[in-house]
Amino acid sequence: MPALQVREFPDELYDELKEYAASQHRSMAQQVIVAVEQMLACDEGAQAGEPRTCAAGALRYASPPFAATVDTEAERAARAKRREELFRQAEEERADLPKDLPSAVEMLRQVRDERDVAFEALSSVMSGGAVKA
């Protein structure tokens, strides 16, 4: 997918765009796509000699691809409470683990080392060499 970079974009305009995108429940990228598409849709009518009209229905990206809803304070609080509960449960389960349990990094390293040894043995056998233990 193509990317677009705009040099020397005015800070004040960037801040306004960021606020507007947030108010529309869009990312900055989504909002820029909508703005450009609206501009081009308006311009098509003007080039055809018609009065400049912008029909929102003609825009592909005017609505986000998801059902954007504005959360109430109660919904946000309920989500925060649920998240806190999940973190608490994770901490409790972590407390039940043995203290000498290796870290995830150490376990992954061990599994990779074992895989590498097995792969070397298989490669050796496939190439007709002797198996190293």
Side-chain angles (χ1 to χ4, degrees):
M1 178 173 279
L4 176 68
Q5 180 180 12
V6 181
R7 292 191 179 119
E8 299 177 24
F9 199 90
D11 291 338
E12 188 174 303
L13 185 57
Y14 181 87
D15 292 339
E16 287 182 49
L17 179 62
K18 188 175 183 178
E19 287 178 26
Y20 188 74
S23 75
Q24 300 299 307
H25 305 288
R26 294 186 182 117
S27 68
M28 291 281 286
Q30 288 171 328
Q31 189 60 50
V32 168
I33 290 169
V34 169
V36 170
E37 192 171 50
Q38 287 174 341
M39 178 201 64
L40 294 175
C42 291
D43 199 45
E44 282 178 8
Q47 288 180 3
E50 301 168 5
R52 189 174 285 253
T53 59
C54 302
L59 304 177
R60 290 173 291 182
Y61 302 103
S63 298
F66 53 87
T69 58
V70 178
D71 293 340
T72 64
E73 190 64 36
E75 289 170 326
R76 280 192 294 273
R79 259 197 330 275
K81 184 176 180 181
R82 176 70 180 137
R83 190 171 35 249
E84 288 173 12
E85 176 63 20
L86 289 172
F87 283 131
R88 187 191 61 71
Q89 288 175 358
E91 279 298 320
E92 286 177 1
E93 289 179 20
R94 214 172 299 154
D96 293 340
L97 295 174
K99 300 298 181 206
D100 60 342
L101 186 69
S103 71
V105 172
E106 293 166 339
M107 287 190 284
L108 185 58
R109 185 172 292 124
Q110 180 182 356
V111 168
R112 286 180 177 167
D113 290 345
E114 290 170 1
R115 177 205 58 199
D116 292 345
V117 167
F119 183 74
E120 286 178 25
L122 180 62
S123 293
S124 180
V125 168
M126 301 274 297
S127 64
V131 177
K132 297 177 189 176

